[in-house]
């Protein structure tokens, strides 16, 4: 046994240990009694110390320091015991805990990491950040926070969700958690492994950016994400033709693409509201035609003309789902050609809800073509419209006479949805389809309150175009 004076047993340490041991073995009594004893002993110590106020102040500070050290030591011991308990009682091994953490949103992951040391250790594993979801963060997310998260993920990063699912009616009122210029800097950061990213979803990040070169150049960041299979951008203020050029060149593995243009006021710049014809939509057509894995395409509120819509519907060898809802320009003329020409097309679902200029006669011709047996791959069509269809006399038709019964008899495998509320009805038909996921449905619900305002603003444009026939 070491002697009392050996280096391993410092006399002052032994004395301190004895005092602390005596304190910890203090007999149990009421907190009030213990507090009273502490008060009395402290007052005695101050009385014996000195009449000098500075000496007494030093004694008080020393007492506070010792009490703080005891408190911190107790907390460390508590955390160690909690970690040991969690490790023995938690039913999942660390590798499965990390797997679970990789499946929750980032806010929940941060909350779990603060629970105990064991969870914190698991939460520090790069695989826990394979799927970063910042859309549920209620407070503002600083740029450095996002950088830290992507750096933690490193090469394990597989999906990234940023922005806010909700937005105001006017783009200038939106305050996105992160902006497009910062995203460009992030994606070009040498510590950002964009090549491993499979899914990227950006919500209302571009809504407060005016039409400028900065918007177009910000699309270049997608060039570092060559292995994307799922891309969703909600809330653009212009048709992203430059984006399609980048996607056609760099992102040829995309399977699901969803892009939604923000509702634009009637006095928006002609550069933004221009129709997309074959020339202006050449990059879009190139992307759809040359993407070997593309199965789902959602272009919401895109000012496409019918010729481009026809090419998109029949040019891809893999496209099964096409959603062109809210298009302010499509008349439906391409539907007639589609029924006659798409004999080998794999397209199964066509959604065209709330297309402002969709004509009743074109939908009728399409129905007749289906009855004749054309377009054999199609299974589901939706042409519902809050404002009805355009009739031959240029008025809005809310009760079109489609041969639905005949269609059911001849094509049992085809479902045609054509719902049109009366002008005085408050019912509105969303653009989401049953195949759309929860996020798109949530966006649709958030916008439902302003949908009537959108109709009012768009009706002012159409009053001068009431003769559409």
């Amino acid at each position: 046994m070491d002697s009392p004076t050996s280096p391993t047993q410092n006399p002052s340490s032994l004395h301190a240990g004895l005092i602390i041991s005596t304190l910890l073995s203090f007999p149990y009594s009421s907190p009030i009694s213990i507090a009273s004893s502490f008060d009395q002993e402290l007052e005695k110590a101050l009385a014996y110390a000195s009449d000098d106020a500075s000496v007494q102040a030093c004694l008080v500070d020393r007492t506070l320091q010792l009490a703080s050290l005891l408190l911190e030591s107790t907390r460390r011991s508590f955390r160690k015991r909690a970690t040991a308990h969690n490790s023995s009682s938690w039913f999942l091994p660390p590798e499965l805990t990390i797997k679970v953490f990789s499946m929750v949103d980032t806010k929940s992951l941060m909350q779990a990491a603060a629970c105990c040391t064991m969870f914190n250790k698991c939460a520090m594993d790069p695989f826990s950040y394979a799927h970063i979801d910042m859309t549920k963060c209620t407070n503002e997310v600083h740029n450095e926070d996002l950088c830290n998260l992507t750096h933690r993920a490193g090469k394990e990063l597989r999906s990234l969700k940023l922005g806010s699912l909700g937005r105001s009616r006017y783009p200038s009122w939106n305050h996105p958690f992160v902006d497009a210029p910062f995203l460009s800097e992030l994606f070009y950061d040498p510590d950002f492994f964009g090549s491993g990213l499979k899914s990227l979803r950006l919500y209302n990040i571009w809504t407060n950016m005016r039409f400028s070169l900065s918007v177009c150049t910000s699309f270049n960041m997608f060039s570092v994400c060559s292995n994307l299979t799922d891309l969703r951008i909600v809330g653009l203020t212009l048709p992203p033709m430059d984006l399609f050029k980048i996607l056609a060149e760099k992102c040829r593995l995309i399977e699901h693409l969803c892009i939604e243009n923000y509702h634009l006021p009637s006095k928006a710049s002609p550069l933004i509201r221009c129709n997309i014809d074959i020339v202006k939509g050449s990059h879009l057509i190139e992307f759809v035609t040359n993407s070997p894995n593309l199965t789902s395409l959602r272009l919401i509120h895109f000012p496409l003309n019918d010729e481009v819509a026809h090419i998109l519907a029949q040019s891809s060898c893999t496209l099964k789902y096409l959603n062109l809802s809210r298009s302010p320009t499509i008349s439906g003329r391409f539907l007639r050609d589609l029924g006659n020409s798409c004999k080998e097309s794999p397209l199964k679902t066509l959604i065209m809800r709330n297309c402002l200029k969709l004509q009743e006669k074109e939908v009728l011709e399409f129905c007749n073509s289906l009855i004749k047996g054309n377009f054999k791959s199609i299974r589901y069509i939706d042409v519902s419209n809050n404002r009805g269809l355009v009739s031959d006399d240029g008025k809005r038709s809310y009760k079109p006479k489609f041969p639905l019964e005949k269609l059911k008899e001849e094509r049992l495998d085809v479902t045609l949805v054509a719902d049109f509320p009366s002008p005085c009805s408050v019912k509105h038909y969303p653009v989401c389809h049953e195949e759309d996921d929860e996020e798109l449905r949530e966006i649709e619900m958030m916008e439902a309150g302003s949908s009537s305002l959108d109709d009012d603003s768009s009706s002012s444009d159409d009053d001068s175009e009431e003769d559409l026939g």
Side-chain angles (χ1 to χ4, degrees), residues 445-461:
M445 291 176 63
M446 289 180 177
E447 293 182 341
S450 62
S451 61
S452 59
L453 296 176
D454 289 346
D455 287 343
D456 292 341
S457 62
S458 60
S459 63
S460 63
D461 295 343

PDB file of all heavy atoms in Angstrom, residues 445-461:
ATOM      1  N   MET A 445     -52.933  22.435 -49.697  1.00  0.00           N
ATOM      2  CA  MET A 445     -53.841  22.874 -48.631  1.00  0.00           C
ATOM      3  C   MET A 445     -53.494  24.284 -48.164  1.00  0.00           C
ATOM      4  O   MET A 445     -54.380  25.098 -47.898  1.00  0.00           O
ATOM      5  CB  MET A 445     -53.758  21.898 -47.460  1.00  0.00           C
ATOM      6  CG  MET A 445     -54.340  20.531 -47.744  1.00  0.00           C
ATOM      7  SD  MET A 445     -54.095  19.388 -46.367  1.00  0.00           S
ATOM      8  CE  MET A 445     -55.035  20.212 -45.087  1.00  0.00           C
ATOM      9  N   MET A 446     -52.215  24.598 -48.087  1.00  0.00           N
ATOM     10  CA  MET A 446     -51.805  25.930 -47.654  1.00  0.00           C
ATOM     11  C   MET A 446     -52.206  26.992 -48.664  1.00  0.00           C
ATOM     12  O   MET A 446     -52.448  28.142 -48.311  1.00  0.00           O
ATOM     13  CB  MET A 446     -50.288  25.960 -47.450  1.00  0.00           C
ATOM     14  CG  MET A 446     -49.825  25.175 -46.237  1.00  0.00           C
ATOM     15  SD  MET A 446     -48.040  25.236 -46.034  1.00  0.00           S
ATOM     16  CE  MET A 446     -47.857  24.323 -44.493  1.00  0.00           C
ATOM     17  N   GLU A 447     -52.275  26.613 -49.932  1.00  0.00           N
ATOM     18  CA  GLU A 447     -52.631  27.571 -50.965  1.00  0.00           C
ATOM     19  C   GLU A 447     -54.138  27.649 -51.202  1.00  0.00           C
ATOM     20  O   GLU A 447     -54.603  28.510 -51.926  1.00  0.00           O
ATOM     21  CB  GLU A 447     -51.957  27.194 -52.277  1.00  0.00           C
ATOM     22  CG  GLU A 447     -50.451  27.338 -52.233  1.00  0.00           C
ATOM     23  CD  GLU A 447     -49.815  27.010 -53.564  1.00  0.00           C
ATOM     24  OE1 GLU A 447     -50.484  26.347 -54.374  1.00  0.00           O
ATOM     25  OE2 GLU A 447     -48.692  27.437 -53.797  1.00  0.00           O
ATOM     26  N   ALA A 448     -54.889  26.751 -50.571  1.00  0.00           N
ATOM     27  CA  ALA A 448     -56.326  26.712 -50.825  1.00  0.00           C
ATOM     28  C   ALA A 448     -56.995  28.021 -50.442  1.00  0.00           C
ATOM     29  O   ALA A 448     -57.938  28.479 -51.088  1.00  0.00           O
ATOM     30  CB  ALA A 448     -56.965  25.548 -50.063  1.00  0.00           C
ATOM     31  N   GLY A 449     -56.501  28.644 -49.378  1.00  0.00           N
ATOM     32  CA  GLY A 449     -57.107  29.895 -48.930  1.00  0.00           C
ATOM     33  C   GLY A 449     -56.942  31.022 -49.904  1.00  0.00           C
ATOM     34  O   GLY A 449     -57.747  31.963 -49.938  1.00  0.00           O
ATOM     35  N   SER A 450     -55.879  30.954 -50.724  1.00  0.00           N
ATOM     36  CA  SER A 450     -55.641  32.042 -51.670  1.00  0.00           C
ATOM     37  C   SER A 450     -56.053  31.676 -53.091  1.00  0.00           C
ATOM     38  O   SER A 450     -55.892  32.465 -54.005  1.00  0.00           O
ATOM     39  CB  SER A 450     -54.158  32.427 -51.679  1.00  0.00           C
ATOM     40  OG  SER A 450     -53.371  31.337 -52.093  1.00  0.00           O
ATOM     41  N   SER A 451     -56.605  30.468 -53.274  1.00  0.00           N
ATOM     42  CA  SER A 451     -56.957  30.045 -54.622  1.00  0.00           C
ATOM     43  C   SER A 451     -58.047  30.912 -55.228  1.00  0.00           C
ATOM     44  O   SER A 451     -58.049  31.204 -56.410  1.00  0.00           O
ATOM     45  CB  SER A 451     -57.386  28.577 -54.618  1.00  0.00           C
ATOM     46  OG  SER A 451     -58.520  28.390 -53.794  1.00  0.00           O
ATOM     47  N   SER A 452     -58.999  31.337 -54.399  1.00  0.00           N
ATOM     48  CA  SER A 452     -60.052  32.196 -54.915  1.00  0.00           C
ATOM     49  C   SER A 452     -59.502  33.544 -55.337  1.00  0.00           C
ATOM     50  O   SER A 452     -59.955  34.149 -56.315  1.00  0.00           O
ATOM     51  CB  SER A 452     -61.137  32.389 -53.848  1.00  0.00           C
ATOM     52  OG  SER A 452     -60.587  32.961 -52.679  1.00  0.00           O
ATOM     53  N   LEU A 453     -58.483  34.020 -54.617  1.00  0.00           N
ATOM     54  CA  LEU A 453     -57.847  35.267 -54.999  1.00  0.00           C
ATOM     55  C   LEU A 453     -57.109  35.107 -56.319  1.00  0.00           C
ATOM     56  O   LEU A 453     -57.091  36.019 -57.146  1.00  0.00           O
ATOM     57  CB  LEU A 453     -56.869  35.710 -53.900  1.00  0.00           C
ATOM     58  CG  LEU A 453     -57.488  36.055 -52.556  1.00  0.00           C
ATOM     59  CD1 LEU A 453     -56.376  36.373 -51.550  1.00  0.00           C
ATOM     60  CD2 LEU A 453     -58.439  37.226 -52.666  1.00  0.00           C
ATOM     61  N   ASP A 454     -56.500  33.955 -56.522  1.00  0.00           N
ATOM     62  CA  ASP A 454     -55.830  33.691 -57.786  1.00  0.00           C
ATOM     63  C   ASP A 454     -56.830  33.728 -58.933  1.00  0.00           C
ATOM     64  O   ASP A 454     -56.562  34.262 -60.000  1.00  0.00           O
ATOM     65  CB  ASP A 454     -55.148  32.319 -57.756  1.00  0.00           C
ATOM     66  CG  ASP A 454     -53.935  32.321 -56.841  1.00  0.00           C
ATOM     67  OD1 ASP A 454     -53.502  33.425 -56.467  1.00  0.00           O
ATOM     68  OD2 ASP A 454     -53.447  31.235 -56.505  1.00  0.00           O
ATOM     69  N   ASP A 455     -58.008  33.129 -58.702  1.00  0.00           N
ATOM     70  CA  ASP A 455     -59.030  33.126 -59.745  1.00  0.00           C
ATOM     71  C   ASP A 455     -59.466  34.538 -60.071  1.00  0.00           C
ATOM     72  O   ASP A 455     -59.680  34.901 -61.228  1.00  0.00           O
ATOM     73  CB  ASP A 455     -60.244  32.301 -59.295  1.00  0.00           C
ATOM     74  CG  ASP A 455     -59.925  30.808 -59.306  1.00  0.00           C
ATOM     75  OD1 ASP A 455     -58.925  30.428 -59.939  1.00  0.00           O
ATOM     76  OD2 ASP A 455     -60.678  30.051 -58.674  1.00  0.00           O
ATOM     77  N   ASP A 456     -59.623  35.368 -59.031  1.00  0.00           N
ATOM     78  CA  ASP A 456     -60.060  36.731 -59.252  1.00  0.00           C
ATOM     79  C   ASP A 456     -59.036  37.513 -60.050  1.00  0.00           C
ATOM     80  O   ASP A 456     -59.371  38.276 -60.960  1.00  0.00           O
ATOM     81  CB  ASP A 456     -60.304  37.435 -57.907  1.00  0.00           C
ATOM     82  CG  ASP A 456     -61.486  36.850 -57.169  1.00  0.00           C
ATOM     83  OD1 ASP A 456     -62.298  36.181 -57.834  1.00  0.00           O
ATOM     84  OD2 ASP A 456     -61.581  37.039 -55.944  1.00  0.00           O
ATOM     85  N   SER A 457     -57.739  37.321 -59.708  1.00  0.00           N
ATOM     86  CA  SER A 457     -56.710  38.069 -60.410  1.00  0.00           C
ATOM     87  C   SER A 457     -56.579  37.603 -61.848  1.00  0.00           C
ATOM     88  O   SER A 457     -56.341  38.385 -62.748  1.00  0.00           O
ATOM     89  CB  SER A 457     -55.362  37.929 -59.696  1.00  0.00           C
ATOM     90  OG  SER A 457     -54.949  36.591 -59.688  1.00  0.00           O
ATOM     91  N   SER A 458     -56.743  36.285 -62.064  1.00  0.00           N
ATOM     92  CA  SER A 458     -56.629  35.778 -63.423  1.00  0.00           C
ATOM     93  C   SER A 458     -57.858  36.129 -64.247  1.00  0.00           C
ATOM     94  O   SER A 458     -57.779  36.307 -65.453  1.00  0.00           O
ATOM     95  CB  SER A 458     -56.425  34.266 -63.411  1.00  0.00           C
ATOM     96  OG  SER A 458     -57.512  33.628 -62.789  1.00  0.00           O
ATOM     97  N   SER A 459     -59.014  36.272 -63.588  1.00  0.00           N
ATOM     98  CA  SER A 459     -60.217  36.612 -64.332  1.00  0.00           C
ATOM     99  C   SER A 459     -60.133  38.000 -64.922  1.00  0.00           C
ATOM    100  O   SER A 459     -60.713  38.290 -65.964  1.00  0.00           O
ATOM    101  CB  SER A 459     -61.441  36.507 -63.422  1.00  0.00           C
ATOM    102  OG  SER A 459     -61.362  37.434 -62.364  1.00  0.00           O
ATOM    103  N   SER A 460     -59.380  38.886 -64.270  1.00  0.00           N
ATOM    104  CA  SER A 460     -59.216  40.226 -64.808  1.00  0.00           C
ATOM    105  C   SER A 460     -58.451  40.188 -66.116  1.00  0.00           C
ATOM    106  O   SER A 460     -58.640  41.015 -66.999  1.00  0.00           O
ATOM    107  CB  SER A 460     -58.487  41.113 -63.811  1.00  0.00           C
ATOM    108  OG  SER A 460     -57.184  40.621 -63.575  1.00  0.00           O
ATOM    109  N   ASP A 461     -57.544  39.180 -66.261  1.00  0.00           N
ATOM    110  CA  ASP A 461     -56.823  39.017 -67.525  1.00  0.00           C
ATOM    111  C   ASP A 461     -57.745  38.476 -68.603  1.00  0.00           C
ATOM    112  O   ASP A 461     -57.580  38.792 -69.774  1.00  0.00           O
ATOM    113  CB  ASP A 461     -55.661  38.036 -67.328  1.00  0.00           C
ATOM    114  CG  ASP A 461     -54.623  38.574 -66.377  1.00  0.00           C
ATOM    115  OD1 ASP A 461     -54.632  39.795 -66.140  1.00  0.00           O
ATOM    116  OD2 ASP A 461     -53.831  37.764 -65.842  1.00  0.00           O
TER     117      ASP A 461
END
